[in-house]
Amino acid sequence: MKKTGIDVVIPVYRPDQKLRRLLLQLTRQSVRPDKILLVNTERELFDESCVEGIEHVTVIHIRKNEFDHGGTRHMAATKLQGAFLLFLTQDAVPEDEFLIEHLRKAFDQEQVCAAYARQLPAPDCSVLERYTRSFNYGDISRVKTAEDLPELGIKTFFCSNVCAMYRRSAYEELGGFERKTIFNEDMIFAGKLIRHGRAVAYCADARVVHSHNYSGMQQFRRNFDLGVSQAEHPEIFAQVPSEGEGIRMVKQTAAYLCKTGRFYLLPVLVYQSGCKFLGYRLGKAFRKLPAGVIRWCTMNQGYWN
């Protein structure tokens, strides 16, 4: 196989056959990665059948108390030499064989140092989550720089390691992902890139199937951790608050439900939006909360050990 200079990192925990579908899709890409590194949490929970017969896959194992959203990915990056690093989550399945090709093409622009893919809803995705996917991941590609901050606000920094590629030289120059991160390591690093005059590309033609049907409580805890990550990194987020973008999404979702006759989902939207907002606000104020309350609110218990 011709060398492409692209290596893949996938953190893994309790993998199932969706991971195998992801790996098989990577082997069918028009531009194939040189290496695929799986970082598995808890050796005894790893299903070897997920990787049987798939070439260029290496698995390393860590303990649960060693996992960190940024640190684990950075550790994996240091074990690879590719000029480009592609990070995926184990449940993000490439929609076609052109995912890597489209992401790699974004780097033809020298200023682009990160590129992330469009996330499409899975067949079992709820109506609300399906619309959220279309709101956050539209069908128009865009390259974002610091000049877009007045227009896009916090969306300028938006990037998702569900499926994102980075230029290694810039990744190393800026120190890579934060080593201890509760969440949001992708946006924190994208913010660094933007602040240092680089660009982040959204590639609508690069597509993965990835969605979750979170409950209100899961939304609360996820957004609590989001708020914590923003509070811990004021150098990135202090000047670009998230609330306005969240309100805009709720309004547009409500309008969509009314337009499509799904009025019965409005109470669900209000409830889930309230969970998100409350979790986010508590996360932003986590330093004022007792340790027991923080542990009840968080999705990432290990971060607080």
Side-chain angles (χ1 to χ4, degrees):
M1 185 178 74
K2 181 181 177 181
K3 293 289 185 181
T4 61
I6 300 169
D7 293 331
V8 176
V9 174
I10 308 174
V12 173
Y13 180 65
R14 294 181 180 269
D16 56 22
Q17 288 305 301
K18 187 177 287 187
L19 172 63
R20 183 167 182 81
R21 292 201 302 274
L22 187 169
L23 295 173
L24 288 172
Q25 279 291 74
L26 291 179
T27 68
R28 297 165 182 156
Q29 291 292 298
S30 59
V31 176
R32 298 182 188 177
D34 295 332
K35 297 179 180 179
I36 302 171
L37 178 59
L38 306 184
V39 185
N40 174 65
T41 301
E42 304 295 6
R43 180 188 293 270
E44 59 273 16
L45 300 177
F46 186 76
D47 182 357
E48 295 287 348
S49 69
C50 292
V51 299
E52 286 179 359
I54 301 177
E55 295 182 343
H56 309 295
V57 175
T58 301
V59 184
I60 59 176
H61 301 277
I62 62 173
R63 305 302 301 176
K64 193 169 185 179
N65 62 4
E66 297 175 311
F67 178 80
D68 173 73
H69 278 271
T72 298
R73 288 176 169 87
H74 180 75
M75 176 272 291
T78 63
K79 296 182 180 296
L80 300 166
Q81 286 81 43
F84 298 93
L85 294 163
L86 173 58
F87 293 87
L88 289 153
T89 55
Q90 68 186 56
D91 56 351
V93 180
E95 200 241 1
D96 59 29
E97 67 270 32
F98 302 110
L99 171 74
I100 295 179
E101 180 178 339
H102 287 308
L103 287 172
R104 173 62 184 83
K105 187 173 178 57
F107 294 89
D108 289 347
Q109 296 185 50
E110 188 175 350
Q111 192 181 13
V112 171
C113 293
Y116 64 100
R118 184 181 185 184
Q119 296 181 31
L120 301 176
D124 64 347
C125 186
S126 69
V127 172
L128 291 179
E129 176 66 10
R130 190 174 294 272
Y131 186 81
T132 298
R133 281 284 170 269
S134 67
F135 180 89
N136 288 326
Y137 302 95
D139 56 4
I140 299 175
S141 299
R142 179 163 186 169
V143 174
K144 300 176 292 184
T145 69
E147 295 179 358
D148 295 302
L149 281 166
E151 175 194 352
L152 298 179
I154 196 165
K155 289 294 282 284
T156 311
F157 300 151
F158 191 75
C159 184
S160 175
N161 275 346
V162 165
C163 181
M165 185 180 289
Y166 299 86
R167 194 187 298 273
R168 175 184 280 279
S169 58
Y171 179 86
E172 292 180 346
E173 178 187 341
L174 297 183
F177 300 129
E178 295 293 312
R179 304 302 188 272
K180 184 170 174 59
T181 332
I182 190 170
F183 190 53
N184 222 22
E185 78 291 337
D186 35 26
M187 282 187 68
I188 293 168
F189 186 74
K192 287 184 183 179
L193 288 173
I194 296 293
R195 297 294 191 192
H196 282 80
R198 313 300 173 79
V200 174
Y202 168 57
C203 303
D205 292 333
R207 301 185 296 267
V208 293
V209 177
H210 175 265
S211 58
H212 293 286
N213 292 319
Y214 286 134
S215 67
M217 199 62 225
Q218 287 172 316
Q219 296 278 18
F220 170 88
R221 291 191 164 121
R222 186 175 187 276
N223 279 267
F224 177 84
D225 291 350
L226 175 65
V228 170
S229 73
Q230 292 191 12
E232 290 189 324
H233 292 278
E235 76 281 4
I236 302 295
F237 300 107
Q239 305 304 316
V240 283
S242 301
E243 289 90 338
E245 187 66 14
I247 291 170
R248 187 169 75 89
M249 185 174 74
V250 173
K251 287 181 177 179
Q252 289 195 16
T253 306
Y256 168 77
L257 293 177
C258 293
K259 182 179 179 180
T260 57
R262 295 182 170 96
F263 301 97
Y264 59 92
L265 287 176
L266 287 172
V268 180
L269 173 64
V270 171
Y271 167 67
Q272 290 194 352
S273 299
C275 289
K276 290 179 183 179
F277 182 74
L278 181 57
Y280 174 75
R281 294 301 298 175
L282 285 173
K284 291 275 283 188
F286 79 96
R287 292 184 178 91
K288 300 177 182 178
L289 302 178
V293 173
I294 290 174
R295 288 190 172 277
W296 185 82
C297 291
T298 188
M299 184 178 276
N300 292 283
Q301 293 285 341
Y303 180 77
W304 305 97
N305 291 336

Short mmCIF file of all heavy atoms in Angstrom, two decimals, residues 8-13 15 19-20 22-23 26 35-41 46-48 50-51 54 56-62 72 75-76 79-80 88-90:
data_model
loop_
_atom_site.label_atom_id
_atom_site.label_comp_id
_atom_site.label_asym_id
_atom_site.label_seq_id
_atom_site.Cartn_x
_atom_site.Cartn_y
_atom_site.Cartn_z
N VAL A 8 -4.25 6.96 12.14
CA VAL A 8 -5.55 7.04 12.80
C VAL A 8 -5.42 6.64 14.26
O VAL A 8 -4.74 5.67 14.60
CB VAL A 8 -6.59 6.13 12.11
CG1 VAL A 8 -7.91 6.14 12.87
CG2 VAL A 8 -6.81 6.57 10.66
N VAL A 9 -6.09 7.39 15.14
CA VAL A 9 -6.16 7.08 16.57
C VAL A 9 -7.63 6.93 16.96
O VAL A 9 -8.45 7.81 16.67
CB VAL A 9 -5.52 8.18 17.43
CG1 VAL A 9 -5.74 7.91 18.92
CG2 VAL A 9 -4.03 8.31 17.13
N ILE A 10 -7.96 5.82 17.62
CA ILE A 10 -9.32 5.58 18.08
C ILE A 10 -9.30 5.11 19.53
O ILE A 10 -8.87 3.98 19.81
CB ILE A 10 -10.05 4.53 17.23
CG1 ILE A 10 -9.95 4.85 15.74
CG2 ILE A 10 -11.52 4.40 17.65
CD1 ILE A 10 -10.53 3.77 14.83
N PRO A 11 -9.73 5.94 20.50
CA PRO A 11 -9.90 5.45 21.87
C PRO A 11 -11.07 4.45 21.90
O PRO A 11 -12.09 4.66 21.24
CB PRO A 11 -10.24 6.72 22.66
CG PRO A 11 -9.81 7.85 21.79
CD PRO A 11 -10.00 7.37 20.38
N VAL A 12 -10.90 3.38 22.68
CA VAL A 12 -11.88 2.29 22.67
C VAL A 12 -12.22 1.90 24.10
O VAL A 12 -11.34 1.79 24.96
CB VAL A 12 -11.31 1.07 21.91
CG1 VAL A 12 -12.23 -0.12 22.05
CG2 VAL A 12 -11.09 1.40 20.44
N TYR A 13 -13.52 1.68 24.33
CA TYR A 13 -13.98 1.15 25.62
C TYR A 13 -15.19 0.26 25.37
O TYR A 13 -16.18 0.70 24.78
CB TYR A 13 -14.34 2.28 26.58
CG TYR A 13 -14.82 1.81 27.94
CD1 TYR A 13 -13.97 1.12 28.80
CD2 TYR A 13 -16.14 2.05 28.35
CE1 TYR A 13 -14.40 0.69 30.04
CE2 TYR A 13 -16.57 1.62 29.60
CZ TYR A 13 -15.71 0.94 30.44
OH TYR A 13 -16.14 0.51 31.68
N PRO A 15 -15.69 -2.25 23.14
CA PRO A 15 -16.02 -2.19 21.72
C PRO A 15 -17.04 -3.25 21.31
O PRO A 15 -17.10 -4.34 21.90
CB PRO A 15 -14.68 -2.44 21.03
CG PRO A 15 -13.91 -3.27 22.02
CD PRO A 15 -14.31 -2.74 23.37
N LEU A 19 -17.47 -0.95 15.94
CA LEU A 19 -16.04 -0.66 15.75
C LEU A 19 -15.50 -1.45 14.57
O LEU A 19 -14.72 -0.91 13.77
CB LEU A 19 -15.26 -1.00 17.02
CG LEU A 19 -13.73 -0.92 16.89
CD1 LEU A 19 -13.29 0.51 16.59
CD2 LEU A 19 -13.04 -1.43 18.15
N ARG A 20 -15.90 -2.69 14.44
CA ARG A 20 -15.42 -3.49 13.30
C ARG A 20 -15.88 -2.88 11.98
O ARG A 20 -15.13 -2.82 11.01
CB ARG A 20 -15.89 -4.94 13.42
CG ARG A 20 -15.36 -5.82 12.29
CD ARG A 20 -15.56 -7.29 12.54
NE ARG A 20 -15.00 -8.08 11.45
CZ ARG A 20 -13.71 -8.39 11.32
NH1 ARG A 20 -12.85 -7.98 12.22
NH2 ARG A 20 -13.30 -9.11 10.30
N LEU A 22 -16.47 0.23 11.44
CA LEU A 22 -15.65 1.42 11.26
C LEU A 22 -14.30 1.03 10.66
O LEU A 22 -13.84 1.63 9.67
CB LEU A 22 -15.45 2.10 12.63
CG LEU A 22 -14.76 3.47 12.72
CD1 LEU A 22 -14.94 4.02 14.13
CD2 LEU A 22 -13.28 3.42 12.39
N LEU A 23 -13.65 0.02 11.25
CA LEU A 23 -12.33 -0.39 10.78
C LEU A 23 -12.37 -0.91 9.35
O LEU A 23 -11.49 -0.62 8.53
CB LEU A 23 -11.75 -1.45 11.71
CG LEU A 23 -11.45 -0.98 13.14
CD1 LEU A 23 -11.05 -2.17 14.03
CD2 LEU A 23 -10.37 0.08 13.16
N LEU A 26 -12.50 1.92 7.00
CA LEU A 26 -11.20 2.57 6.84
C LEU A 26 -10.34 1.82 5.83
O LEU A 26 -9.57 2.43 5.07
CB LEU A 26 -10.47 2.66 8.18
CG LEU A 26 -11.07 3.63 9.21
CD1 LEU A 26 -10.24 3.60 10.49
CD2 LEU A 26 -11.15 5.05 8.67
N LYS A 35 -1.42 3.65 9.40
CA LYS A 35 -1.54 2.91 10.65
C LYS A 35 -2.83 3.29 11.35
O LYS A 35 -3.30 4.42 11.25
CB LYS A 35 -0.36 3.21 11.58
CG LYS A 35 1.00 2.77 11.02
CD LYS A 35 2.12 3.12 12.00
CE LYS A 35 3.48 2.69 11.45
NZ LYS A 35 4.58 3.04 12.36
N ILE A 36 -3.38 2.31 12.08
CA ILE A 36 -4.56 2.54 12.91
C ILE A 36 -4.22 2.08 14.32
O ILE A 36 -3.90 0.91 14.55
CB ILE A 36 -5.78 1.76 12.39
CG1 ILE A 36 -6.10 2.14 10.95
CG2 ILE A 36 -6.99 2.00 13.30
CD1 ILE A 36 -7.16 1.26 10.30
N LEU A 37 -4.24 3.01 15.26
CA LEU A 37 -3.89 2.70 16.65
C LEU A 37 -5.13 2.78 17.52
O LEU A 37 -5.76 3.84 17.62
CB LEU A 37 -2.83 3.68 17.15
CG LEU A 37 -2.39 3.52 18.61
CD1 LEU A 37 -1.83 2.12 18.87
CD2 LEU A 37 -1.35 4.58 18.98
N LEU A 38 -5.48 1.67 18.13
CA LEU A 38 -6.59 1.63 19.09
C LEU A 38 -6.02 1.71 20.49
O LEU A 38 -5.13 0.94 20.86
CB LEU A 38 -7.39 0.33 18.94
CG LEU A 38 -7.93 -0.04 17.55
CD1 LEU A 38 -8.78 -1.31 17.66
CD2 LEU A 38 -8.74 1.09 16.95
N VAL A 39 -6.54 2.64 21.28
CA VAL A 39 -6.15 2.75 22.69
C VAL A 39 -7.33 2.25 23.51
O VAL A 39 -8.32 2.96 23.69
CB VAL A 39 -5.78 4.19 23.07
CG1 VAL A 39 -5.27 4.22 24.51
CG2 VAL A 39 -4.73 4.76 22.12
N ASN A 40 -7.22 1.03 23.97
CA ASN A 40 -8.34 0.38 24.66
C ASN A 40 -8.24 0.54 26.17
O ASN A 40 -7.20 0.32 26.77
CB ASN A 40 -8.37 -1.11 24.31
CG ASN A 40 -9.41 -1.85 25.11
OD1 ASN A 40 -10.61 -1.61 24.95
ND2 ASN A 40 -8.98 -2.74 26.00
N THR A 41 -9.36 0.91 26.78
CA THR A 41 -9.44 1.01 28.23
C THR A 41 -9.97 -0.30 28.80
O THR A 41 -11.09 -0.71 28.46
CB THR A 41 -10.37 2.18 28.64
OG1 THR A 41 -9.84 3.39 28.09
CG2 THR A 41 -10.45 2.31 30.14
N PHE A 46 -11.93 -6.01 26.07
CA PHE A 46 -11.69 -5.85 24.63
C PHE A 46 -12.08 -7.12 23.88
O PHE A 46 -11.63 -8.22 24.21
CB PHE A 46 -10.23 -5.52 24.36
CG PHE A 46 -9.94 -5.19 22.92
CD1 PHE A 46 -10.31 -3.97 22.39
CD2 PHE A 46 -9.32 -6.12 22.09
CE1 PHE A 46 -10.07 -3.67 21.05
CE2 PHE A 46 -9.07 -5.82 20.77
CZ PHE A 46 -9.44 -4.60 20.24
N ASP A 47 -12.92 -6.96 22.86
CA ASP A 47 -13.36 -8.08 22.03
C ASP A 47 -12.42 -8.19 20.83
O ASP A 47 -12.47 -7.38 19.91
CB ASP A 47 -14.80 -7.83 21.57
CG ASP A 47 -15.36 -8.97 20.73
OD1 ASP A 47 -14.61 -9.94 20.45
OD2 ASP A 47 -16.53 -8.89 20.32
N GLU A 48 -11.57 -9.22 20.83
CA GLU A 48 -10.57 -9.38 19.77
C GLU A 48 -11.19 -9.58 18.40
O GLU A 48 -10.56 -9.30 17.38
CB GLU A 48 -9.66 -10.58 20.10
CG GLU A 48 -8.81 -10.41 21.34
CD GLU A 48 -7.67 -9.43 21.15
OE1 GLU A 48 -7.40 -9.06 19.99
OE2 GLU A 48 -7.05 -9.04 22.17
N CYS A 50 -13.24 -7.87 16.97
CA CYS A 50 -13.43 -6.58 16.29
C CYS A 50 -12.29 -6.27 15.31
O CYS A 50 -12.48 -5.49 14.37
CB CYS A 50 -13.53 -5.45 17.31
SG CYS A 50 -15.01 -5.50 18.33
N VAL A 51 -11.11 -6.84 15.56
CA VAL A 51 -9.94 -6.49 14.74
C VAL A 51 -9.40 -7.66 13.94
O VAL A 51 -8.43 -7.49 13.20
CB VAL A 51 -8.82 -5.90 15.62
CG1 VAL A 51 -9.29 -4.64 16.31
CG2 VAL A 51 -8.34 -6.92 16.65
N ILE A 54 -7.94 -7.57 10.05
CA ILE A 54 -7.82 -6.19 9.56
C ILE A 54 -6.37 -5.75 9.68
O ILE A 54 -5.78 -5.81 10.77
CB ILE A 54 -8.75 -5.24 10.34
CG1 ILE A 54 -10.20 -5.70 10.20
CG2 ILE A 54 -8.59 -3.81 9.83
CD1 ILE A 54 -11.19 -4.86 10.99
N HIS A 56 -2.83 -3.43 9.53
CA HIS A 56 -2.30 -2.14 9.97
C HIS A 56 -2.97 -1.64 11.26
O HIS A 56 -2.94 -0.44 11.55
CB HIS A 56 -2.43 -1.09 8.88
CG HIS A 56 -1.90 -1.52 7.55
ND1 HIS A 56 -0.57 -1.80 7.35
CD2 HIS A 56 -2.52 -1.76 6.37
CE1 HIS A 56 -0.39 -2.17 6.08
NE2 HIS A 56 -1.55 -2.17 5.48
N VAL A 57 -3.56 -2.54 12.05
CA VAL A 57 -4.19 -2.16 13.30
C VAL A 57 -3.31 -2.61 14.47
O VAL A 57 -2.90 -3.77 14.54
CB VAL A 57 -5.59 -2.78 13.46
CG1 VAL A 57 -6.17 -2.46 14.84
CG2 VAL A 57 -6.52 -2.26 12.37
N THR A 58 -3.02 -1.68 15.37
CA THR A 58 -2.29 -1.98 16.60
C THR A 58 -3.18 -1.61 17.78
O THR A 58 -3.88 -0.59 17.74
CB THR A 58 -0.98 -1.17 16.68
OG1 THR A 58 -0.16 -1.48 15.54
CG2 THR A 58 -0.21 -1.49 17.95
N VAL A 59 -3.17 -2.44 18.81
CA VAL A 59 -3.97 -2.18 20.01
C VAL A 59 -3.04 -2.04 21.21
O VAL A 59 -2.17 -2.89 21.44
CB VAL A 59 -4.98 -3.32 20.29
CG1 VAL A 59 -5.86 -2.96 21.49
CG2 VAL A 59 -5.84 -3.59 19.05
N ILE A 60 -3.20 -0.96 21.94
CA ILE A 60 -2.52 -0.83 23.24
C ILE A 60 -3.60 -0.69 24.31
O ILE A 60 -4.70 -0.19 24.04
CB ILE A 60 -1.54 0.37 23.28
CG1 ILE A 60 -2.27 1.69 23.00
CG2 ILE A 60 -0.41 0.16 22.30
CD1 ILE A 60 -1.35 2.90 23.12
N HIS A 61 -3.28 -1.15 25.52
CA HIS A 61 -4.27 -1.20 26.59
C HIS A 61 -3.85 -0.29 27.74
O HIS A 61 -2.67 -0.20 28.09
CB HIS A 61 -4.44 -2.63 27.10
CG HIS A 61 -4.88 -3.60 26.05
ND1 HIS A 61 -6.20 -3.75 25.68
CD2 HIS A 61 -4.16 -4.45 25.27
CE1 HIS A 61 -6.28 -4.68 24.73
NE2 HIS A 61 -5.06 -5.12 24.47
N ILE A 62 -4.83 0.40 28.32
CA ILE A 62 -4.61 1.22 29.50
C ILE A 62 -5.67 0.87 30.54
O ILE A 62 -6.70 0.25 30.21
CB ILE A 62 -4.64 2.74 29.18
CG1 ILE A 62 -6.04 3.13 28.65
CG2 ILE A 62 -3.55 3.12 28.20
CD1 ILE A 62 -6.21 4.64 28.47
N THR A 72 -4.86 10.91 26.79
CA THR A 72 -4.81 9.60 26.13
C THR A 72 -4.60 9.76 24.63
O THR A 72 -3.80 9.05 24.02
CB THR A 72 -6.10 8.81 26.42
OG1 THR A 72 -6.19 8.58 27.84
CG2 THR A 72 -6.09 7.48 25.70
N MET A 75 -0.99 10.87 24.06
CA MET A 75 -0.07 9.74 24.21
C MET A 75 -0.05 8.90 22.95
O MET A 75 1.01 8.49 22.46
CB MET A 75 -0.51 8.89 25.41
CG MET A 75 0.30 7.62 25.64
SD MET A 75 -0.37 6.18 24.71
CE MET A 75 -1.90 5.90 25.59
N ALA A 76 -1.22 8.64 22.37
CA ALA A 76 -1.29 7.86 21.13
C ALA A 76 -0.59 8.58 19.99
O ALA A 76 0.13 7.96 19.20
CB ALA A 76 -2.75 7.59 20.78
N LYS A 79 3.10 8.10 19.57
CA LYS A 79 3.55 6.78 19.12
C LYS A 79 3.47 6.62 17.60
O LYS A 79 3.78 5.56 17.06
CB LYS A 79 2.72 5.68 19.80
CG LYS A 79 2.88 5.64 21.31
CD LYS A 79 2.08 4.53 21.94
CE LYS A 79 2.27 4.51 23.45
NZ LYS A 79 3.66 4.22 23.84
N LEU A 80 3.06 7.67 16.90
CA LEU A 80 2.89 7.63 15.46
C LEU A 80 3.75 8.69 14.79
O LEU A 80 4.15 9.66 15.43
CB LEU A 80 1.41 7.82 15.10
CG LEU A 80 0.45 6.78 15.70
CD1 LEU A 80 -0.99 7.24 15.58
CD2 LEU A 80 0.64 5.43 15.01
N LEU A 88 -10.79 9.46 15.65
CA LEU A 88 -12.17 9.01 15.54
C LEU A 88 -12.62 8.46 16.89
O LEU A 88 -11.79 8.03 17.70
CB LEU A 88 -12.31 7.91 14.49
CG LEU A 88 -12.16 8.30 13.01
CD1 LEU A 88 -11.69 7.11 12.20
CD2 LEU A 88 -13.49 8.80 12.48
N THR A 89 -13.91 8.44 17.13
CA THR A 89 -14.45 7.68 18.24
C THR A 89 -14.93 6.33 17.70
O THR A 89 -15.16 6.17 16.50
CB THR A 89 -15.61 8.41 18.93
OG1 THR A 89 -16.62 8.74 17.96
CG2 THR A 89 -15.12 9.69 19.59
N GLN A 90 -15.09 5.36 18.58
CA GLN A 90 -15.36 3.99 18.15
C GLN A 90 -16.75 3.81 17.54
O GLN A 90 -17.02 2.77 16.92
CB GLN A 90 -15.21 3.04 19.33
CG GLN A 90 -16.27 3.22 20.42
CD GLN A 90 -15.98 2.35 21.63
OE1 GLN A 90 -14.92 2.43 22.22
NE2 GLN A 90 -16.94 1.51 21.99
#
